[in-house]
Amino acid sequence: MLESYVTPILMSYVNRYIKNLKPSDLQLSLWGGDVVLSKLELKLDVLEQELKLPFSFLSGHIHELRIHVPWTKLGSEPVVITINTMECILKLKDGVQEDHESSGSSSTNRSTTESAKSSVKPRRIQQTAPSDPDLPPGYVQSLIRRVVNNVNIVINNLILKYVEDDIVLSVNITSAECYTVDEFWDRAFMDISANDLVLRKVVNFSDCTVCLDKRNASGKIEFYQDPLLYKCSFKTRLHFTYDNLNSKMPSVIKIHTLVESLKLSITDQQLPMFIRIMQLGIALYYGELGNFKEGENEDLVCHTKDILGNISGVEDETGSDMQYSTQYINQEPYMHQDDDQQQGWVSWAWSFVPAIVSYDDGEDDYTGTEGGTILHQQKSQALKDPIVSIGFYCTKATVTFKLTEMQAESSYYSPQKVKSKEVILWEQEGTTVEALMMGEPFFDCQIGFVGCQAMCLKGIMGIKDFEENVNRSDAEAYFFSCGENLSTKGMTYLTNSLFDYRSPENNGIRAEFILDAAHHKETYSEIAGMQRFGAFYMDYLYTMESTSGKVSGNQQELSSSKSEDLINVQEMSTKSLIVGPLNLRLDSSAVHRIMKMIVCAMEHEYEPYNKPKPDIVEGNRTMPNSEEVASLEEYIPTRLTSFTILKCTITISMAEFNLLGHLLPIIMGQKSSSGLLNAGSFQPLRPLPAIRILMDKINLEHSVPMYAEQLVQTVSSLSQPSDNLLHYCYAHCYLKIFGFQAGLTSLDIRGSYCLPTPIIPSFSTAIYGKLLKFPKYWTKQSHVPLTECIFELPNLTVQATRAQTLLLQTIYQSWSHVGNVSSAVVNEVLLNEVFQTLGVKSKNPLPTLEGSVQNVELKYCSTSLVKCASGTVGSIKICAKAPGDGGKEKLIPLIQGPSDTRDLHSSKWLNESRKPESLLAPDMVAFTIQNPRYMDYCHNSGAVLLASLQGLAVNIDPVLYTWLMYQPQKRSSRHIQQQPVGTVPLGMPVTRKKEDEVSVGSVPLAKQQSNQASEYASSPVKTKTVTGTPNRPY
């Protein structure tokens, strides 16, 4: 009968994870069609060994377990497994094992082995039992497959708790249900057919609540914080594609989750704990847990062999063959510092991907013996790695940061309550997190979101700047914005997901995946990423290629000290991060809220998960042979990271209030001031002067060797390593800034910024640096540079009137003079002088000083013995633009170099016309400084200073005195209160006319002819310009 085939399968799983069950009673209940088991205790040791997480279970129980088997309709109705109230409590493993572990790790291994064997027995019975003449074997296998594919699992009230130090993290899911669906994602009884080799499932989670609380020394929670996440529902779609009906494992697995609304709430007390949980996740991912140590090596190897079965690969740069786990855990700490190649949580998650859907793996799949493991490893090599796609999609997410304060009840004996106040709100739309993997050779992760913005709420530190009675607009509350809205962008973040009706899976087409690195980079370029998202896009790609023609690349093998292991595989890791056009407004409200978040994050410091070991250099290092050196010369695995920001606009407003004296000492590691905050009423200052900074593009590139310490050990042992090998022993960083410009602007009472007055016209610059990895290995080679840095500045011009410099000084003092609680005051006459009304000419325009430097190049280098710096400055020019006769401006040179000063004392020098010199002329300033690090070495080499200075002409003109002696005074012809005509919306970048967009790299802040860089300042290098006042004294 069917019962003899189906019952052992169900019994094997139930008996495997639940204590003290009588198989006879369970079998009789199953034959009745319904099983109800109450107050069940889970086998914690089995769960620990099967999950292989670095966590230990403190407790785990099920209040009620129901199993419904429709024996009469087994081919058309699903088996339903219902769990009512399941609770598990976990903690991080440490060196001292808990009681249920200390009962004997050997007994734990023994019980696991016994349970594994007990779970195998029903399978063997199934495979060796004589076939029923009324039930052909083919029919039985088909029926069992249909039953397993359509099992419904319902969990009501799932409670998971994690405790560590004073942290209590709890996850409560009211209801979770997993069931099989049809091609329209509707509930149905489905099976795999020859025409449709696809299995679809849906998992619905209802009312998920996540709490993060702090417990005291006795383990009790005194004050419950607001939930991190409250009653959030989300749905997951699973799509499995098989190659044929007899496939034990899918060839393509897609698991995508969609959340319509995600509302997170973090208080100041939860922030340090939340950061700690994030650090735990990172440590798990990279395998950096210091307490996941050697004492568990033996258990880990046993656990690994016990579960791997038919698993054929691991994700990302993680260890592949788990039989080398002991080698992995005993690695040097440098392997823990490498980004992604460790055996971590992701490897554990990957190992379960085939196990989720495999149901008939044969009798060897669960044997804990070494022979069974070897057999499985042989099988796994023949099996093809499945393509796994995991995605998380969120339509709209918000994160609210709150400050808490204790509030006592009216009664003296009543307990205190925690009252929270919202201060910052982060909104994000169209979030996507996608991961694509295929065993070891390929892993890709893409993260992006369409738009985001941040706004200020309520008050901060006693300043009620955004309370309801202040009546400030929402536009003033938003201090950060990036990207677009979903209403204008569309649902691009769901492209090719299981929730996209245009995706291949939703149209009966088998999806195609790009698993080639070159093709991947062409398809998923920066432009394509920003077109899909708009605000942020990240693409992380890892590939591994075998050069020996066989599957290799075990990270454990690569971690050994032999460089020959690097010959087998060629690994590559690239990260590309792009941020779209963003606007950041730093006023008093935003800065104080950001600083307060930083202070709250630093209030509680936890012990790091992975403590670095002391540097120990091996005395006897083996010299690599010529073949190993040649292979290193050919290819060295490297991690490349590129970070780009497009069209960045930063506005730094004058401080309306300044209480940073209470925050900065804590951030700098000092004690906070004991003075109490005595904040009065807040009144916004209008007009509010500000500095606006625009950057067309910022690009940061970083590269580091993938196996740094192993490479350095090998290269440093060579007597004369090549430049190529030395290059890869450094971490390189290259920063480029394009189109940087700055100017002064003002926020008026209507909430709009006036057209900026340029201070620094557009310029570009670059800086490069490199740092030697593991300098402890280079002590015998003192000539190898430890650090190098190069700074290049082709051209920089600064221009300002005295009124503009006074306004800049006022903005600076508003931030530097801490303790200013009341609203700041700014001279209105000074504002009117700086921000000229559009179309109105001033009767007495102020002179403008303009300075320019060209061809600046600075270099710094340090070795273990000396530090050296050198630099050159091509030219320096300072001139004044003053009103001349007929309303025309005239240029008055004040400082100019390099200059031919041989005839400077004669009047002939002022009258003659000087033409540009050759560009090959010497730089104006060139210097070199070398300083020894140690005094004993100084006696042998000494310090060196070399300098070269070309001719410099200085003209002391009365216009300089006029510029310095300016003081803002009221004028009868000028109205104090003037509204600028040309305004732009708050937080929006300055728009430019089409005729101004000829050259992006040289577009000024605004087209104001009188304030642009003069031809004098922008003349070619070493150029001498004819002065406009030949008869002025100097």
Side-chain angles (χ1 to χ4, degrees):
M1 299 298 291
L2 288 176
E3 290 85 345
S4 61
Y5 293 93
V6 179
T7 301
I9 298 177
L10 296 176
M11 288 177 55
S12 63
Y13 288 103
V14 175
N15 189 42
R16 182 175 181 84
Y17 301 106
I18 296 177
K19 290 183 179 179
N20 304 325
L21 278 184
K22 295 182 180 180
S24 58
D25 296 342
L26 181 61
Q27 188 171 4
L28 291 175
S29 301
L30 279 175
W31 286 353
D34 289 284
V35 177
V36 180
L37 304 174
S38 300
K39 297 181 180 180
L40 304 176
E41 293 292 332
L42 297 176
K43 293 182 178 179
L44 304 181
D45 49 0
V46 176
L47 289 176
E48 289 182 17
Q49 297 180 37
E50 293 224 350
L51 295 179
K52 279 181 295 301
L53 283 173
F55 300 106
S56 59
F57 283 84
L58 297 180
S59 66
H61 62 269
I62 295 176
H63 178 70
E64 184 182 71
L65 173 64
R66 291 177 175 267
I67 302 177
H68 172 70
V69 183
W71 295 112
T72 58
K73 300 179 180 179
L74 202 56
S76 58
E77 290 186 7
V79 174
V80 181
I81 300 175
T82 305
I83 299 176
N84 294 321
T85 309
M86 177 178 177
E87 182 176 1
C88 295
I89 301 178
L90 301 89
K91 69 178 291 292
L92 196 64
K93 285 185 178 179
D94 49 24
V96 181
Q97 297 184 344
E98 300 296 327
D99 294 338
H100 68 270
E101 292 174 326
S102 61
S103 60
S105 60
S106 59
S107 64
T108 300
N109 296 336
R110 197 181 309 115
S111 63
T112 305
T113 306
E114 292 174 357
S115 59
K117 293 180 179 179
S118 65
S119 64
V120 171
K121 292 180 181 179
R123 290 176 175 266
R124 292 181 175 176
I125 293 173
Q126 168 199 343
Q127 295 165 357
T128 58
S131 59
D132 194 313
D134 298 332
L135 297 175
Y139 172 77
V140 173
Q141 294 177 3
S142 175
L143 181 61
I144 292 177
R145 184 180 66 233
R146 289 172 60 87
V147 170
V148 174
N149 288 342
N150 289 275
V151 170
N152 285 10
I153 301 176
V154 181
I155 302 178
N156 297 318
N157 196 18
L158 173 62
I159 302 172
L160 300 176
K161 290 184 179 180
Y162 170 76
V163 293
E164 177 192 349
D165 293 335
D166 59 349
I167 300 174
V168 179
L169 175 67
S170 60
V171 180
N172 190 344
I173 300 177
T174 303
S175 176
E177 183 179 9
C178 176
Y179 54 89
T180 307
V181 295
D182 57 15
E183 63 271 16
F184 302 107
W185 301 101
D186 297 325
R187 187 190 297 264
F189 194 91
M190 303 296 296
D191 193 15
I192 303 173
S193 63
N195 298 329
D196 188 16
L197 297 171
V198 171
L199 181 65
R200 302 174 182 88
K201 286 183 176 291
V202 167
V203 183
N204 290 329
F205 297 89
S206 301
D207 294 345
C208 176
T209 300
V210 181
C211 298
L212 186 60
D213 299 293
K214 180 180 291 188
R215 61 177 182 173
N216 55 23
S218 60
K220 295 182 180 181
I221 300 174
E222 297 180 354
F223 309 104
Y224 285 94
Q225 304 289 328
D226 294 343
L228 283 180
L229 184 66
Y230 183 68
K231 289 189 176 182
C232 176
S233 299
F234 49 95
K235 50 188 175 183
T236 300
R237 291 181 176 180
L238 297 87
H239 189 280
F240 307 106
T241 304
Y242 296 83
D243 288 334
N244 52 66
L245 289 175
N246 297 323
S247 298
K248 296 181 180 180
M249 188 169 59
S251 59
V252 179
I253 302 171
K254 267 195 171 185
I255 305 174
H256 291 176
T257 301
L258 175 63
V259 182
E260 293 292 345
S261 178
L262 188 66
K263 297 181 180 180
L264 295 175
S265 171
I266 302 178
T267 64
D268 51 354
Q269 297 185 22
Q270 290 174 331
L271 186 59
M273 298 186 289
F274 182 77
I275 295 175
R276 177 66 169 180
I277 296 298
M278 294 181 62
Q279 293 174 347
L280 173 63
I282 295 174
L284 286 175
Y285 179 83
Y286 293 136
E288 295 178 347
L289 282 179
N291 26 5
F292 200 53
K293 291 208 184 263
E294 303 162 359
E296 302 175 17
N297 289 0
E298 185 178 351
D299 293 344
L300 178 64
V301 176
C302 179
H303 302 170
T304 303
K305 293 180 179 181
D306 196 28
I307 195 174
L308 263 188
N310 63 340
I311 293 173
S312 53
V314 242
E315 169 266 319
D316 196 10
E317 302 168 34
T318 54
S320 56
D321 290 341
M322 305 292 285
Q323 58 187 347
Y324 296 100
S325 297
T326 307
Q327 301 177 20
Y328 160 72
I329 298 178
N330 289 327
Q331 290 174 20
E332 293 297 320
Y334 73 90
M335 285 299 293
H336 297 282
Q337 296 173 357
D338 291 338
D339 285 347
D340 307 300
Q341 78 272 21
Q342 290 80 14
Q343 170 63 40
W345 178 84
V346 176
S347 174
W348 165 83
W350 166 260
S351 68
F352 275 89
V353 169
I356 292 175
V357 292
S358 66
Y359 50 85
D360 188 12
D361 300 327
E363 64 178 52
D364 294 315
D365 290 353
Y366 291 89
T367 55
T369 61
E370 193 155 338
T373 304
I374 297 175
L375 177 61
H376 274 303
Q377 292 172 352
Q378 294 174 352
K379 289 183 178 180
S380 64
Q381 294 179 1
L383 293 176
K384 182 181 178 182
D385 290 325
I387 299 174
V388 180
S389 172
I390 300 175
F392 173 81
Y393 308 90
C394 180
T395 304
K396 186 173 183 179
T398 60
V399 181
T400 305
F401 178 67
K402 302 177 181 179
L403 295 178
T404 58
E405 59 183 7
M406 305 305 299
Q407 187 177 25
E409 294 293 328
S410 58
S411 174
Y412 176 79
Y413 297 100
S414 60
Q416 289 183 327
K417 291 186 177 181
V418 178
K419 182 182 178 181
S420 60
K421 180 177 63 175
E422 303 172 348
V423 292
I424 292 182
L425 175 64
W426 175 275
E427 299 175 344
Q428 189 168 302
E429 290 185 319
T431 305
T432 296
V433 180
E434 294 177 334
L436 178 66
M437 61 196 83
M438 189 186 70
E440 291 178 340
F442 185 89
F443 174 78
D444 176 67
C445 178
Q446 297 184 14
I447 301 175
F449 45 85
V450 174
C452 62
Q453 54 188 2
M455 67 180 301
C456 300
L457 300 174
K458 305 294 184 180
I460 183 73
M461 301 178 67
I463 303 294
K464 300 179 179 180
D465 49 352
F466 282 98
E467 294 287 352
E468 296 179 357
N469 55 359
V470 181
N471 295 324
R472 301 182 69 177
S473 63
D474 291 340
E476 294 181 85
Y478 286 101
F479 64 89
F480 177 82
S481 62
C482 182
E484 307 174 43
N485 296 325
L486 279 181
S487 57
T488 58
K489 190 71 173 179
M491 310 298 284
T492 54
Y493 73 101
L494 291 176
T495 301
N496 287 333
S497 70
L498 296 179
F499 299 94
D500 182 13
Y501 68 93
R502 300 165 298 180
S503 66
E505 291 84 1
N506 290 331
N507 290 275
I509 305 173
R510 182 158 182 166
E512 296 182 359
F513 299 93
I514 300 176
L515 302 174
D516 178 70
H519 191 193
H520 177 89
K521 292 180 179 179
E522 293 178 1
T523 306
Y524 301 102
S525 61
E526 296 182 359
I527 298 177
M530 294 309 295
Q531 286 178 350
R532 180 183 177 186
F533 297 106
F536 174 78
Y537 173 69
M538 187 203 78
D539 182 25
Y540 165 64
L541 176 65
Y542 169 82
T543 58
M544 176 192 294
E545 296 181 1
S546 176
T547 57
S548 60
K550 60 181 180 180
V551 178
S552 182
N554 300 324
Q555 304 301 325
Q556 293 77 18
E557 295 176 3
L558 291 172
S559 66
S560 63
S561 61
K562 297 180 180 180
S563 62
E564 60 190 10
D565 295 327
L566 292 173
I567 304 176
N568 296 332
V569 295
Q570 291 187 354
E571 298 173 84
M572 180 186 66
S573 172
T574 58
K575 302 182 186 71
S576 177
L577 299 92
I578 310 153
V579 178
L582 63 88
N583 293 279
L584 176 62
R585 183 165 53 89
L586 297 176
D587 54 9
S588 294
S589 301
V591 170
H592 282 77
R593 283 167 169 80
I594 296 173
M595 291 292 186
K596 184 63 176 178
M597 286 189 63
I598 297 175
V599 169
C600 294
M602 299 175 61
E603 284 183 351
H604 196 307
E605 294 184 0
Y606 296 91
E607 289 292 330
Y609 286 110
N610 182 33
K611 295 182 180 180
K613 296 181 180 180
D615 294 340
I616 301 176
V617 182
E618 299 178 3
N620 49 356
R621 285 181 285 169
T622 58
M623 292 288 294
N625 55 40
S626 59
E627 295 181 357
E628 295 173 347
V629 174
S631 65
L632 288 177
E633 291 278 6
E634 182 179 353
Y635 186 84
I636 295 177
T638 308
R639 285 193 178 85
L640 304 176
T641 303
S642 174
F643 179 70
T644 305
I645 301 179
L646 305 174
K647 297 292 182 182
C648 176
T649 303
I650 303 175
T651 304
I652 304 174
S653 302
M654 179 179 175
E656 298 176 90
F657 60 90
N658 189 347
L659 300 175
L660 296 181
H662 297 269
L663 302 176
L664 286 178
I666 302 178
I667 297 177
M668 301 301 295
Q670 305 171 3
K671 294 184 178 180
S672 60
S673 59
S674 58
L676 298 178
L677 293 177
N678 186 15
S681 60
F682 172 79
Q683 292 295 332
L685 177 64
R686 297 293 182 272
L688 182 65
I691 303 172
R692 171 163 291 181
I693 299 173
L694 299 180
M695 286 172 281
D696 290 336
K697 185 178 180 180
I698 304 174
N699 180 251
L700 175 64
E701 297 179 355
H702 180 265
S703 65
V704 65
M706 192 172 291
Y707 306 100
E709 187 165 8
Q710 179 184 352
L711 177 65
V712 169
Q713 284 181 352
T714 303
V715 177
S716 62
S717 62
L718 300 176
S719 58
Q720 293 182 348
S722 65
D723 293 339
N724 181 52
L725 293 180
L726 282 177
H727 174 82
Y728 284 99
C729 292
Y730 288 85
H732 303 266
C733 186
Y734 195 8
L735 175 64
K736 292 174 283 187
I737 301 176
F738 301 95
F740 181 98
Q741 48 188 322
L744 284 170
T745 184
S746 177
L747 178 65
D748 61 23
I749 198 171
R750 297 176 299 176
S752 301
Y753 282 104
C754 68
L755 290 175
T757 301
I759 300 295
I760 302 177
S762 177
F763 74 95
S764 300
T765 184
I767 184 171
Y768 165 79
K770 67 178 184 179
L771 177 67
L772 184 65
K773 302 293 291 183
F774 299 97
K776 60 184 179 181
Y777 292 103
W778 301 91
T779 54
K780 296 182 180 180
Q781 302 187 27
S782 58
H783 65 280
V784 176
L786 301 179
T787 58
E788 284 189 15
C789 184
I790 300 176
F791 172 74
E792 294 180 352
L793 180 64
N795 184 18
L796 172 63
T797 301
V798 180
Q799 56 187 18
T801 63
R802 181 55 177 165
Q804 293 170 353
T805 59
L806 289 176
L807 187 58
L808 288 171
Q809 183 180 356
T810 303
I811 296 175
Y812 170 76
Q813 290 178 349
S814 68
W815 288 105
S816 60
H817 294 171
V818 297
N820 180 20
V821 178
S822 60
S823 299
V825 179
V826 64
N827 194 317
E828 295 183 0
V829 178
L830 183 63
L831 286 176
N832 293 331
E833 194 68 60
V834 173
F835 304 107
Q836 301 286 345
T837 305
L838 193 62
V840 178
K841 294 185 178 180
S842 177
K843 292 183 179 180
N844 298 314
L846 300 177
T848 302
L849 282 188
E850 184 178 287
S852 173
V853 293
Q854 295 181 351
N855 282 9
V856 178
E857 183 174 342
L858 304 176
K859 298 180 181 179
Y860 172 80
C861 178
S862 68
T863 66
S864 59
L865 299 178
V866 297
K867 294 184 291 184
C868 179
S870 64
T872 58
V873 179
S875 65
I876 298 178
K877 303 174 185 179
I878 299 178
C879 67
K881 292 190 293 185
D885 299 334
K888 296 182 179 180
E889 289 185 346
K890 53 184 178 182
L891 296 177
I892 305 171
L894 301 177
I895 298 177
Q896 178 176 293
S899 178
D900 188 0
T901 58
R902 288 174 296 182
D903 299 327
L904 185 61
H905 60 281
S906 64
S907 60
K908 177 182 177 182
W909 186 87
L910 293 174
N911 294 327
E912 69 179 1
S913 175
R914 288 172 293 279
K915 297 181 180 180
E917 294 182 358
S918 170
L919 295 177
L920 300 178
D923 295 314
M924 177 188 163
V925 178
F927 68 92
T928 299
I929 301 175
Q930 179 175 305
N931 186 31
R933 285 179 174 268
Y934 309 105
M935 291 301 298
D936 53 353
Y937 183 73
C938 179
H939 298 295
N940 298 328
S941 64
V944 177
L945 172 62
L946 302 175
S948 172
L949 179 64
Q950 301 299 315
L952 180 68
V954 180
N955 177 25
I956 303 176
D957 193 274
V959 71
L960 182 60
Y961 178 82
T962 304
W963 189 89
L964 291 173
M965 292 295 103
Y966 164 80
Q967 291 295 331
Q969 298 177 357
K970 293 185 178 181
R971 302 181 184 181
S972 59
S973 61
R974 180 178 297 276
H975 297 285
I976 296 178
Q977 187 68 23
Q978 288 183 345
Q979 290 293 340
V981 178
T983 60
V984 293
L986 176 68
M988 297 297 293
V990 178
T991 57
R992 305 186 180 97
K993 298 179 181 180
K994 292 183 178 179
E995 57 267 20
D996 297 338
E997 297 179 353
V998 178
S999 175
V1000 177
S1002 60
V1003 174
L1005 279 166
K1007 275 289 181 181
Q1008 298 181 10
Q1009 185 176 359
S1010 61
N1011 288 325
Q1012 294 309 303
S1014 64
E1015 296 179 359
Y1016 176 86
S1018 59
S1019 56
V1021 184
K1022 321 293 187 304
T1023 299
K1024 305 290 173 57
T1025 307
V1026 180
T1027 61
T1029 54
N1031 296 323
R1032 285 183 178 269
Y1034 61 91

